[in-house]
Amino acid sequence: MDERLASMRLVVFGSSGPTGRHVDQQALDAGHQVTAVTRRPEHFPVGDHDGEAVRVVGADVADAEAVTDAVEGGDAVISTYGVPYSRRRVTVYSTGARHILAAMSRHGVDRLVCVSSTTVADRPVPGETWAWRRVVEPLLLRRVLGRTLYDDMERMERLVRDSPVRWTIVRPAGLYDADGPGEFEVGPPRLQGRFTSRADLARTLVTEATGDEHPRATVDVVSRGTPPSPLNFLREVTKIGRQGGGSQGGSRLG
């Protein structure tokens, strides 16, 4: 491995979210430097690592100037930010992507890894049940709870794919909490499986950002450990959607 890849400066958007915190911790554990970008810098936990390895930046992805300042000095960008389900038109994914890509161009940063969702995939998982394929995913998740959110994710994906950077779009399935990474699979869409732990997603994001395994490609990441039951997961999705605390299949990212 060359020296640059051995220790990289990773700019992580959405660092205050559950997935972002996993990304920060795993990147620091691997010896990388992290610019933790969050709208709430005063609440960001540095943890047990030397503060010099973490640069905490307060910025909203809707603020182009703040995003430009945050990206300066980075080697790669990891985007994990997310917003709750909303009946109002969601634009934060596409707006944030536009600002991040512009900032990367200005500062000569060429590697972007961003989180989307398997819910926006244009073809079903092979072997999936009829109820999940025809009712749960397209109707409940996509058209009832998350219509405006997933529409904007599609706009974000188009912006990223049309950009000149070395991008990787990572699509997790329904997100759930786990203490640390376990067994999981990463590959071109679509992989069988309904759930992804945030720890497994974070491991994938850090691996992709510090390597070059899937340049200019979209990949699924699916956990192979013990998932939550589908019934409990759907209850959590609907609860989070009503309370305004979720995205990515009902699970807040950043």
Side-chain angles (χ1 to χ4, degrees):
M1 180 181 294
D2 68 37
E3 185 176 349
R4 180 175 179 273
L5 294 182
S7 179
M8 292 182 64
R9 295 165 295 180
L10 303 178
V11 181
V12 182
F13 285 90
S15 281
S16 62
T19 298
R21 292 188 183 191
H22 277 288
V23 170
D24 295 334
Q25 193 65 51
Q26 291 186 29
L28 292 168
D29 288 345
H32 303 294
Q33 298 179 46
V34 171
T35 295
V37 188
T38 171
R39 292 180 299 161
R40 301 177 295 278
E42 66 278 8
H43 299 305
F44 181 81
V46 173
D48 298 330
H49 291 273
D50 188 335
E52 292 184 359
V54 184
R55 172 189 171 218
V56 182
V57 175
D60 190 313
V61 293
D63 184 337
E65 185 176 350
V67 170
T68 299
D69 291 343
V71 170
E72 184 176 10
D75 295 319
V77 173
I78 299 175
S79 173
T80 74
Y81 65 88
V83 294
Y85 290 136
S86 175
R87 293 181 181 180
R88 297 180 180 180
R89 187 170 185 261
V90 173
T91 61
V92 67
Y93 292 98
S94 55
T95 298
R98 189 176 294 108
H99 291 164
I100 289 170
L101 289 166
M104 292 174 66
S105 176
R106 177 170 178 177
H107 294 302
V109 181
D110 188 46
R111 187 71 173 115
L112 171 64
V113 181
C114 66
V115 179
S116 182
S117 171
T118 55
T119 305
V120 304
D122 57 3
R123 56 193 174 92
V125 173
E128 186 54 272
T129 65
W130 182 92
W132 191 275
R133 188 175 69 249
R134 296 294 186 182
V135 179
V136 175
E137 195 167 62
L139 296 182
L140 177 59
L141 297 181
R142 180 63 194 265
R143 291 301 168 193
V144 176
L145 292 174
R147 180 177 60 83
T148 61
L149 186 150
Y150 293 121
D151 286 350
D152 196 42
M153 275 191 183
E154 288 187 335
R155 291 190 288 270
M156 174 193 72
E157 286 198 2
R158 286 194 294 269
L159 285 168
V160 170
R161 288 195 189 95
D162 290 343
S163 73
V165 303
R166 290 183 302 119
W167 54 266
T168 301
I169 295 171
V170 178
R171 289 175 174 169
L175 288 168
Y176 67 97
D177 288 320
D179 292 335
E183 238 184 279
F184 63 95
E185 187 176 354
V186 178
R190 297 205 61 192
L191 296 178
Q192 288 186 321
R194 298 175 181 172
F195 304 103
T196 307
S197 82
R198 291 185 177 88
D200 292 342
L201 172 59
R203 175 62 58 85
T204 302
L205 296 172
V206 173
T207 299
E208 293 289 342
T210 56
D212 205 24
E213 189 172 354
H214 298 103
R216 300 186 68 82
T218 301
V219 296
D220 287 359
V221 54
V222 177
S223 295
R224 299 307 183 198
T226 303
S229 72
L231 181 58
N232 287 340
F233 178 75
L234 288 176
R235 285 173 178 165
E236 186 67 18
V237 167
T238 54
K239 179 181 72 175
I240 293 174
R242 288 194 305 269
Q243 295 175 348
S247 66
Q248 300 292 323
S251 305
R252 188 174 180 83
L253 285 178

